[in-house]
Amino acid sequence: MMKNSNKEQHNMNTWFKSGSPWIWLSAGGVSISLISVLGLLWLIASRGLSYFWPADIYEFKSINDKGVHGTVIGEIYDREFIPASQLAHTDIKLKPGQETIERLLVKTGNRELVSLDFRWLLVPEIQTTTTPEDVVVIERRKNGNFYGYIESVIMDGQVVELSRLPELLERVDEFQDEIDTLQSSHIGAINYKIERLRLKERKYTLDNELTAEKANELSGEVASLEAEYQLLEAELMDLRKKIARDQLVVRAMDGQKITINFEYILKVTYNNQLSFIDKFITFLQQIGAFLSDDPREANTEGGVFPAIFGTVLMVLLMTVIVSPFGVIAAIYLHEYAGKNALTKLLRIAVINLAGVPSIVYGVFGLGFFVYMVGGSLDQLFYPETLPSPTFGTPGVLWSAITLAILTLPVVIVSTEEGLARIPSAMRHGSLALGATKVETLWRIILPIASPAIMTGIILAIARAAGEVAPLMLVGVVKMAPNLPLDGNFPYLHLDRKFMHLGFHIYDVGFQSPNVEAARPLVYATALLLVTIIVSLNMTAVSVRNKLREKYRMLEH
């Protein structure tokens, strides 16, 4: 027995000394992490993508414990079981031994008739459940979806056949596209030009350069623009009159008839008549609309295109700013700075900066960049706009610079590690052949270190794209009326505020007046943000791999 025990202990000691337990422990940790990440992605994807799948529409006929009959039309949003003891005060009849009661959360829409989009139905109170083929889902620009039955279609003030509904929807889409083009492109451009002329006149006044000739010239330009504005406004009103002549009369679940103008209708769908292929096509169309449309109804409906644009633009600007500064700082610390107390202090500062909470960077960006630098720029270059600030207010430029400072330590450390891996013999060989130190850096050192530089940039992109706290102070808003990029000179407006997917998730998830309706949008937007971050990272990884293959022979 003693010999066997000693032998087992010896084998155990040998097994531990071989390092096998740590290999298995590492493999287990990696496996758990991978399963956790995949599980999280599956949760986000399943909850988010299900929002775009056209659900079946049910008609429930029920009678409550007070004997009141009712009809509910909508889609089943959720179901749960509650203890029967919670309904002890009602007259619901339970089966012997039944301890739980199932209830359904039904999305009913029709906000002009009811205060909430959702209502709970107890399964024991439901008498019949049907899926009528003629029930429709009307997606609208305001008041959410409408569930009901089409009574009549009115075109140009006359009742027409229901078969002409697709024609009307197509005509309304054309009218709406013309209205959007007039408002955003033509009328918006005229308003922008008039505002620039007003500021130009004020600048002449402040500089004591406003002569009668300049004043008359500016007045003539403004009058010409206002005349053009009046023509466009008349055209806009004519389009609105045309689109307002078409109406849809629908019957709600309580039998009440509602008239909906086509100008508020986005889409009419018979969900219960769709085959699987039709549902899949509708699924893809709704994803496309989510990616390309503007948000509606306090961000609880519509798309997220402004947030996508703002996120990508801010990350690209941040990358352009942080890359040269991070690389130059790393080159100085590794190639030029001496091994003294100042260099050690700089390295300690860089390491400590990486651990500073992100909200502190936001406070610094607000105080230094927005108020100090931006305020000074306004006084020097934009005095005619004061007291309304131009750069002295949060905007996309200050957000990009703030996040560039936040991610600067990552780029510095990664680049310096790449420089440290290059053998000193390569530097000496280049210098011995007659190259200067600058030529050695540019032609030998930086190309070999480029994969490490790209690694730092990848890590910077990943962190910056997901940051929200500092952006809330230096530029991001709930709803941005204009994109930072448009057709007005100088085309890229770095002083404007912008929308961000991370803040959009926070706003929809925690500030929404309709929590149940906003919940799937939170998952869908989170999935989109993860997809964008992965896409940006994969692009950078692809560039890094190409650089690594290109300079592999030079490195060896």
Side-chain angles (χ1 to χ4, degrees):
M1 292 289 293
M2 184 66 67
K3 289 183 179 180
N4 291 334
S5 177
N6 292 336
K7 186 176 181 180
E8 290 177 0
Q9 185 176 2
H10 175 73
N11 292 336
M12 185 66 67
N13 292 335
T14 303
W15 186 60
F16 271 102
K17 289 180 180 179
S18 66
S20 297
W22 317 121
I23 296 175
W24 284 103
L25 186 62
S26 300
V30 172
S31 301
I32 293 173
S33 300
L34 182 60
I35 292 172
S36 300
V37 171
L38 293 177
L40 177 62
L41 292 177
W42 171 255
L43 173 66
I44 295 175
S46 60
R47 296 288 184 87
L49 294 178
S50 62
Y51 172 76
F52 304 105
W53 187 263
D56 292 333
I57 310 302
Y58 295 87
E59 181 175 334
F60 302 96
K61 293 186 180 298
S62 62
I63 180 172
N64 60 20
D65 60 320
K66 298 179 182 180
V68 179
H69 293 265
T71 302
V72 175
I73 298 176
E75 56 184 87
I76 297 178
Y77 194 79
D78 196 6
R79 62 178 70 221
E80 67 179 21
F81 290 87
I82 60 175
S85 58
Q86 293 185 8
L87 302 175
H89 61 284
T90 64
D91 296 331
I92 295 178
K93 297 180 180 180
L94 303 177
K95 297 178 181 179
Q98 184 176 357
E99 298 180 353
T100 60
I101 297 176
E102 184 181 6
R103 65 176 183 176
L104 306 177
L105 181 62
V106 181
K107 183 177 181 181
T108 58
N110 305 12
R111 291 178 188 167
E112 64 268 52
L113 302 178
V114 293
S115 57
L116 296 176
D117 282 1
F118 299 86
R119 67 174 64 184
W120 287 101
L121 294 180
L122 297 173
V123 172
E125 294 181 347
I126 299 175
Q127 292 182 317
T128 60
T129 302
T130 58
T131 55
E133 291 190 352
D134 55 343
V135 68
V136 296
V137 180
I138 303 175
E139 185 178 351
R140 300 180 291 181
R141 287 185 167 83
K142 66 177 186 178
N143 290 331
N145 290 349
F146 188 95
Y147 300 89
Y149 299 92
I150 296 178
E151 289 289 318
S152 60
V153 179
I154 301 175
M155 179 178 180
D156 296 330
Q158 301 294 327
V159 177
V160 297
E161 297 179 355
L162 183 59
S163 59
R164 302 195 64 180
L165 179 61
E167 175 190 345
L168 280 173
L169 290 173
E170 184 177 354
R171 188 172 78 160
V172 167
D173 286 340
E174 294 175 357
F175 284 156
Q176 198 63 49
D177 289 341
E178 293 181 23
I179 290 174
D180 293 340
T181 302
L182 280 175
Q183 288 180 325
S184 60
S185 300
H186 303 298
I187 295 179
I190 290 176
N191 288 331
Y192 182 80
K193 292 177 181 178
I194 291 176
E195 178 63 16
R196 300 310 301 175
L197 290 174
R198 185 189 69 81
L199 293 176
K200 188 176 182 180
E201 181 180 6
R202 190 163 187 266
K203 183 174 177 60
Y204 285 150
T205 303
L206 293 175
D207 296 339
N208 294 323
E209 297 178 357
L210 184 61
T211 62
E213 182 180 355
K214 289 182 179 180
N216 292 332
E217 181 182 353
L218 292 174
S219 298
E221 292 182 12
V222 171
S224 176
L225 290 172
E226 288 180 345
E228 186 178 353
Y229 178 86
Q230 294 297 328
L231 294 175
L232 292 175
E233 188 178 28
E235 185 179 352
L236 178 63
M237 296 304 296
D238 183 58
L239 286 172
R240 286 179 172 169
K241 288 180 181 178
K242 289 180 180 179
I243 201 175
R245 291 181 300 185
D246 301 333
Q247 297 173 330
L248 196 63
V249 180
V250 292
R251 174 168 50 87
M253 56 189 176
D254 58 356
Q256 186 176 352
K257 293 184 179 180
I258 304 296
T259 300
I260 305 175
N261 288 338
F262 269 86
E263 60 181 319
Y264 301 119
I265 296 177
L266 290 170
K267 186 169 58 174
V268 177
T269 309
Y270 290 89
N271 283 18
N272 295 341
Q273 297 181 10
L274 298 178
S275 63
F276 178 81
I277 296 177
D278 294 332
K279 287 187 175 183
F280 185 72
I281 294 174
T282 304
F283 172 75
L284 296 179
Q285 290 174 345
Q286 294 189 156
I287 291 179
F290 177 72
L291 297 177
S292 59
D293 290 349
D294 293 340
R296 308 187 307 271
E297 299 289 336
N299 290 345
T300 59
E301 293 181 4
V304 291
F305 176 75
I308 297 174
F309 185 88
T311 303
V312 174
L313 176 63
M314 187 272 300
V315 170
L316 293 178
L317 283 175
M318 180 277 305
T319 305
V320 171
I321 295 171
V322 74
S323 299
F325 284 101
V327 172
I328 291 172
I331 290 174
Y332 170 76
L333 289 174
H334 191 270
E335 301 292 334
Y336 290 95
K339 297 181 180 180
N340 49 40
L342 178 60
T343 304
K344 291 182 180 179
L345 184 63
L346 289 175
R347 294 183 190 278
I348 293 173
V350 170
I351 294 173
N352 288 335
L353 281 175
V356 174
S358 59
I359 190 65
V360 176
Y361 286 98
V363 174
F364 170 76
L366 180 66
F368 181 73
F369 293 122
V370 176
Y371 293 150
M372 186 177 296
V373 178
S376 301
L377 289 175
D378 286 348
Q379 292 179 357
L380 289 174
F381 301 105
Y382 304 97
E384 67 275 10
T385 64
L386 296 175
S388 297
T390 302
F391 282 97
T393 184
V396 63
L397 175 63
W398 307 132
S399 298
I401 295 178
T402 300
L403 289 187
I405 295 177
L406 186 148
T407 57
L408 186 62
V410 177
V411 179
I412 292 176
V413 172
S414 179
T415 302
E416 196 170 0
E417 289 179 354
L419 294 173
R421 287 198 299 266
I422 300 175
S424 58
M426 299 193 69
R427 296 177 175 84
H428 297 158
S430 176
L431 296 173
L433 291 173
T436 63
K437 190 166 187 177
V438 174
E439 290 175 337
T440 301
L441 278 172
W442 186 253
R443 298 181 179 274
I444 304 296
I445 304 302
L446 285 181
I448 297 177
S450 57
I453 296 173
M454 288 303 302
T455 300
I457 293 174
I458 292 169
L459 296 174
I461 290 173
R463 183 175 182 187
E467 284 292 347
V468 178
L471 299 180
M472 296 170 66
L473 299 176
V474 292
V476 75
V477 290
K478 176 185 178 72
M479 179 67 71
N482 297 309
L483 293 176
L485 183 67
D486 58 22
N488 299 319
F489 183 83
Y491 310 117
L492 182 61
H493 305 273
L494 298 179
D495 58 306
R496 289 182 182 174
K497 297 177 177 60
F498 67 103
M499 296 180 67
H500 188 273
L501 285 173
F503 182 78
H504 189 80
I505 294 171
Y506 162 76
D507 177 69
V508 173
F510 297 97
Q511 305 295 320
S512 173
N514 196 340
V515 178
E516 292 293 344
R519 186 184 302 170
L521 273 178
V522 173
Y523 288 105
T525 310
L527 177 63
L528 179 60
L529 178 59
V530 171
T531 303
I532 289 177
I533 294 175
V534 171
S535 300
L536 292 172
N537 285 344
M538 292 303 296
T539 302
V541 168
S542 176
V543 174
R544 180 186 65 182
N545 292 340
K546 289 181 179 179
L547 291 173
R548 184 175 291 167
E549 291 296 327
K550 181 178 180 180
Y551 298 110
R552 185 181 297 276
M553 295 302 297
L554 183 60
E555 184 176 357
H556 290 298

